Amino acid sequence: MHRRKFLSLLGGAGLASAMGATKVRAAGNHTFNGYPDAMGVLHDSTRCIGCRKCEQACAEVNNLPKPSAAYDDLSVLDTKRRTDAKTYTVVNKYNTAGLENPIFRKQQCNHCQEPACASACFVKAFTKNPDGSVTYNGDLCVGCRYCMVACPFGVPTFEYDDPLDPLVQKCTMCHPRIQEGKLPGCVEKCPKEALTFGKREDLLAIARDRIRKYPDRYENHIYGEKEAGGTNWLYLSPVPHTELGMPVVGKTSAPELTSGALGAVPMVVGIWPVLLAGAYGISKRKEKIAAEEKAEAVREAIEKTQASADGAMKTALDKAAKDKAAAVDREVKKAVAEAQKEFDEKLAAMQAPAEDDSDAGESPEEEA
Amino acid sequence: MMKGRSLLRWAGLLVAVALVSVWGHEAQSSKAEVSSAGSYADIVTIDVIGKMGSTELPAVTYRHDLHTEAMKKLNKDCSACHKTQDGKMSLKFMRTEDGSAEELKSLYHTNCFACHAEQAAAGNNTGPQDGECRACHNPNPADTSAWKEVGMDKSLHYRHTAAKTIKVSGQDVNCGACHHVYEPATKKAEWKKQTEDSCRACHKTESTPVAEGADKMKPALNDAAHAACVTCHVKTTGDTGPVTCAGCHTAEAQKQYKVVKDVPRLDRGQPDAALVAADDVKKAKLPAVAFNHKLHETALDNCRTCHHEKIASCTECHTLAGKKEGNFVQLEQAMHAVKDKASCVGCHNTAKADPSCAGCHGLMPKAAASEQSCATCHVKEAPKGEELANMDKDQKKAAAAALVSMRPTAMPVYNEEDIPETVEIGALVDKFEASKMPHRKIVKTMIAAVAGSKMAAGFHTDPGTFCQGCHHNSPVSKTPPKCQSCHGKPFEAAKGDRPGLKAAYHQQCMGCHAAMKLEKPKATACKECHAERTN
């Protein structure tokens, strides 16, 4: 195929995929605003005392191994920690300037309304349940760890020390316990209700109410209300949330960011064979027509040459015939003339002894 | 497809932008190297020509204390730069009156350059020379101002009135040394007893006519204050006030001022108690409030918090409808604005931030004033409507005094035997022994913390009011309901944000302890309150 042809085909493919994408994006007006009765948890940093009871409860209800430091050893709070495959939740201590007392924040999966991990997972190992939790099915997981890359909060963790069947691990919001009508382990254990469990919409109302009642106690921002498209864990804080190590993630959920491009994939994948086959067909047909035209032209050229050659031959032959005839004529005439001459001479010779005195002017023709 | 010409144009633009940004950056970094940028309280912006109209160059950023120091080294005083007229030192540079812009320009240039050149010749470290225009005329000076406002508080005022160095001839008080009002008859500023006011009452940000329609102008606050304070400090020998900018206008200097704790009451004819009554008493439905002026004088360290600029009755500017003089702040807002320190309610709210109050009050919503507190100030014994309208000044004064004297001086509390000694909390015996709360000890400690507070005495009207800090959301009673009456299972949607029993206890106890800044017991030290189970 020619380069130019290939490029124009590529352009065509691009256009087609772009059209596909706009279609998908137009379809993307249907946003998912979370399941209506989804539960959630509100963490209020003004209430948290950093006692680590939530960590303990989490390990107990999920049968996680005991950590090296006991749960009542609060010196571990002096270093920033993060969750891992054996720890689904950690509490961190933040000493922000201007406040006498440190502030504590619990860290765990935020159970996004539109989870990035689930949208990145191509085997559907993650599920957003109607109860608000995001759970994971290890039987489906292929271990690609795309979920870990996708999560804006760095939540999913990997069992790096399991050589045979390493799984991704994270907080489940105690999905099994919620199904039984129980509270999540951490919420049940919290001595101060720094963790409030309830329907997400109720929690938002509660959080707003607290801000309204105690305007100087809270930063007027419920983290998780809009972050990453909204999360089922919400946070209240006396200081800007970024001071408590919260990432700035924007309001758009990860699936929303990628749905346009990913939605165009089937379109592009579907359209390429058709397009290329069509292009191939067109180019094939063009080649065929060109070949036919070429043959025709050759035939015409041959005919033309033939005709002109024949014409030339004919004239040549005619000419030759004419020449021949003329030559024959001439030769005949010549022969006749010669014969005449010979006869005349012979005749003369025969007459000469007999008639010496006779006129030589007598013509043989007259004789003949 | 972009045409070659426009492509070239864009490229040119980009190159220009790049060059400018690089050059600008260069210029900036080089500027930062030559000057040692700092934060100073003595930065003066000389813009005297700018105030007249347009200028050729930006205003001059000048450091006053730097020059004062330099003059001291040369054994020169203020007169090196400031001229004296009629025994008064002018605050202007080398002149007593402003001339035309041209004159001013040459005056500054001639004098500044002359002195700088002289010092340079003598080998001293000195300021910019002729031709270094931008050294002074810099629109973006590297130095930033650390200037901090200074005010006359009660202690500082007393130190002036008690100073032996400040005397007014022929008088036994020295108020006249500073306080004056313009007397149209003599066309002079004279002291008139009992009219003393803050400088701000007459001297505004710009100079204004001394009286309505007068030609004579009175100086702006800035000039008036410096003319009064600095010239006096300079003249006075011995124990005197600051003469440098940094001496008044830095936080460090202000911290070091000697504070006189018990200042005798000012004598300006102010009332001991006054009735705060609306301008239209017939419209005002609530009884007037008696204001204990004497008490508030001792409670605050200045008059400005309430009186803003001018010593006057609140209702003069704050009317029911609001008026221009009072910035259209209505009387209701002037007294009850929750978030403003100048209103009664707002100031009382800030007082509640004190650890001995915050234990209870920190847990109470702050969004609005409590409805229960209207009657605390608007007592039914106070006059209102017709009765108030028919009162004369003295009757009002008497009524206010009577109402104030009715007020309690100590907080009413229950008898000791009515306060339960211990409260056993046995709600969580799955892990701990029952918790024995030393109820009476806690209550008595809290009562002792506010024993000397008149505010606590005035606002905790009933012996049960104090109990409501913990026993909230129920009527005042000697036997309030138990916590379990309302607090049970956590997170019941119907109960909204009401905590469950465990959290109710913990939030109440720990919240109060944190607000009262009690170090012990620590919130995370469970065993301090909960003994471990033995069986």
Side-chain angles (χ1 to χ4, degrees), chain B residues 167-444:
Chain B
K167 277 200 179 67
V168 180
S169 56
Q171 285 168 358
D172 51 358
V173 288
N174 60 8
C175 312
C178 303
H179 290 284
H180 51 246
V181 283
Y182 182 73
E183 187 54 62
T186 56
K187 295 203 169 180
K188 270 198 179 135
E190 291 170 356
W191 173 58
K192 258 171 73 185
K193 199 169 159 61
Q194 306 272 303
T195 62
E196 297 87 357
D197 210 330
S198 87
C199 312
R200 285 177 178 78
C202 302
H203 296 280
K204 304 298 176 192
T205 48
E206 295 295 331
S207 65
T208 44
V210 287
E212 202 69 48
D215 294 336
K216 204 173 170 187
M217 303 291 271
K218 59 189 175 201
L221 175 69
N222 193 16
D223 293 338
H226 287 111
C229 307
V230 183
T231 52
C232 183
H233 292 172
V234 169
K235 269 198 314 219
T236 312
T237 48
D239 183 19
T240 184
V243 292
T244 59
C245 308
C248 289
H249 293 290
T250 57
E252 296 81 52
Q254 289 174 25
K255 264 190 219 129
Q256 284 165 7
Y257 293 163
K258 197 169 76 188
V259 176
V260 180
K261 275 273 184 293
D262 296 315
V263 176
R265 205 171 164 204
L266 288 169
D267 171 28
R268 197 193 168 276
Q270 71 271 38
D272 288 358
L275 272 189
V276 181
D279 49 300
D280 186 349
V281 287
K282 293 201 176 107
K283 265 192 193 168
K285 292 277 183 282
L286 283 171
V289 175
F291 176 68
N292 189 343
H293 197 282
K294 193 177 173 182
L295 177 78
H296 286 84
E297 280 176 50
T298 51
L300 286 158
D301 72 347
N302 64 62
C303 311
R304 226 186 322 153
T305 305
C306 303
H307 283 291
H308 318 313
E309 285 182 350
K310 186 164 161 254
I311 307 270
S313 151
C314 312
T315 47
E316 201 171 291
C317 302
H318 299 296
T319 55
L320 282 178
K323 63 188 215 183
K324 187 171 178 289
E325 289 77 6
N327 237 340
F328 297 103
V329 175
Q330 292 164 290
L331 181 61
E332 181 273 326
Q333 276 295 286
M335 300 302 153
H336 308 110
V338 176
K339 289 178 182 169
D340 197 318
K341 269 190 173 172
S343 85
C344 309
V345 173
C347 185
H348 288 171
N349 269 344
T350 58
K352 291 177 197 167
D354 185 279
S356 49
C357 309
C360 300
H361 286 280
L363 301 175
M364 297 176 190
K366 283 184 201 51
S370 154
E371 290 157 25
Q372 295 172 328
S373 61
C374 300
T376 312
C377 304
H378 295 272
V379 289
K380 55 182 183 296
E381 293 87 355
K384 66 173 181 184
E386 288 291 337
E387 184 194 351
L388 183 57
N390 296 331
M391 279 178 154
D392 64 13
K393 234 184 174 167
D394 289 334
Q395 282 172 314
K396 280 184 189 166
K397 225 176 178 172
L403 286 167
V404 165
S405 66
M406 272 170 43
R407 285 179 185 162
T409 50
M411 194 173 75
V413 288
Y414 288 123
N415 297 329
E416 192 157 309
E417 62 270 16
D418 290 334
I419 305 170
E421 189 171 4
T422 55
V423 174
E424 192 162 295
I425 302 166
L428 76 158
V429 282
D430 61 335
K431 200 170 174 192
F432 298 105
E433 293 290 347
S435 186
K436 282 193 178 61
M437 185 176 91
H439 180 268
R440 191 184 292 165
K441 184 184 145 200
I442 292 170
V443 174
K444 285 177 78 175

Side-chain angles (χ1 to χ4, degrees), chain A residues 33-34 39-43 105 108-114 128 152-153 200-201 203-204 207-208 211 219-237 241-242 246-253:
Chain A
N33 292 322
M39 307 307 279
V41 179
L42 169 69
H43 179 262
R105 179 179 66 86
Q108 72 298 304
C109 173
N110 288 323
H111 299 277
C112 304
Q113 303 208 89
E114 298 180 73
K128 177 71 177 177
F153 305 104
R200 184 176 185 268
E201 51 195 49
L203 293 180
L204 282 171
R208 288 199 191 101
I211 292 171
E219 180 76 7
N220 188 4
H221 175 190
I222 306 166
Y223 191 97
E225 182 183 8
K226 295 196 174 75
E227 275 73 12
T231 59
N232 284 55
W233 278 69
L234 305 165
Y235 298 84
L236 279 173
S237 161
H241 292 275
T242 46
M246 286 300 216
V248 179
V249 293
K251 292 179 183 173
T252 323
S253 71

Side-chain angles (χ1 to χ4, degrees), chain A residues 28-260:
Chain A
N29 284 341
H30 305 291
T31 50
F32 175 65
N33 292 322
Y35 290 105
D37 288 333
M39 307 307 279
V41 179
L42 169 69
H43 179 262
D44 188 334
S45 278
T46 68
R47 295 183 175 187
C48 183
I49 55 171
C51 65
R52 299 185 63 205
K53 291 243 184 302
C54 50
E55 293 183 30
Q56 187 179 351
C58 180
E60 280 166 10
V61 300
N62 290 302
N63 301 317
L64 300 173
K66 271 205 165 77
S68 49
Y71 286 110
D72 55 5
D73 175 6
L74 300 183
S75 65
V76 298
L77 294 167
D78 295 336
T79 46
K80 292 277 175 293
R81 298 174 299 149
R82 53 160 299 171
T83 55
D84 60 41
K86 294 184 182 68
T87 324
Y88 296 170
T89 184
V90 291
V91 174
N92 273 319
K93 179 162 82 177
Y94 299 89
N95 277 314
T96 55
L99 283 154
E100 295 160 22
N101 302 314
I103 303 170
F104 302 95
R105 179 179 66 86
K106 182 178 177 291
Q107 185 184 324
Q108 72 298 304
C109 173
N110 288 323
H111 299 277
C112 304
Q113 303 208 89
E114 298 180 73
C117 52
S119 77
C121 183
F122 53 83
V123 292
K124 293 197 176 169
F126 287 92
T127 314
K128 177 71 177 177
N129 303 300
D131 68 1
S133 61
V134 177
T135 49
Y136 158 85
N137 181 354
D139 297 342
L140 297 173
C141 177
V142 296
C144 72
R145 287 171 281 144
Y146 278 14
C147 52
M148 294 168 67
V149 178
C151 178
F153 305 104
V155 164
T157 55
F158 196 62
E159 294 176 329
Y160 286 101
D161 50 1
D162 185 341
L164 297 173
D165 186 20
L167 299 176
V168 169
Q169 295 290 3
K170 69 169 198 68
C171 153
T172 63
M173 203 158 123
C174 284
H175 174 67
R177 285 173 61 91
I178 295 177
Q179 293 305 305
E180 291 170 32
K182 293 181 186 164
L183 291 170
C186 54
V187 174
E188 192 180 48
K189 197 81 169 184
C190 178
K192 274 198 80 189
E193 277 180 35
L195 297 167
T196 305
F197 181 77
K199 281 186 188 172
R200 184 176 185 268
E201 51 195 49
D202 293 349
L203 293 180
L204 282 171
I206 284 171
R208 288 199 191 101
D209 206 38
R210 286 185 197 171
I211 292 171
R212 188 185 58 79
K213 277 186 183 158
Y214 304 101
D216 44 3
R217 185 187 296 181
Y218 293 105
E219 180 76 7
N220 188 4
H221 175 190
I222 306 166
Y223 191 97
E225 182 183 8
K226 295 196 174 75
E227 275 73 12
T231 59
N232 284 55
W233 278 69
L234 305 165
Y235 298 84
L236 279 173
S237 161
V239 294
H241 292 275
T242 46
E243 289 186 29
L244 303 186
M246 286 300 216
V248 179
V249 293
K251 292 179 183 173
T252 323
S253 71
E256 213 175 322
L257 289 170
T258 53
S259 64

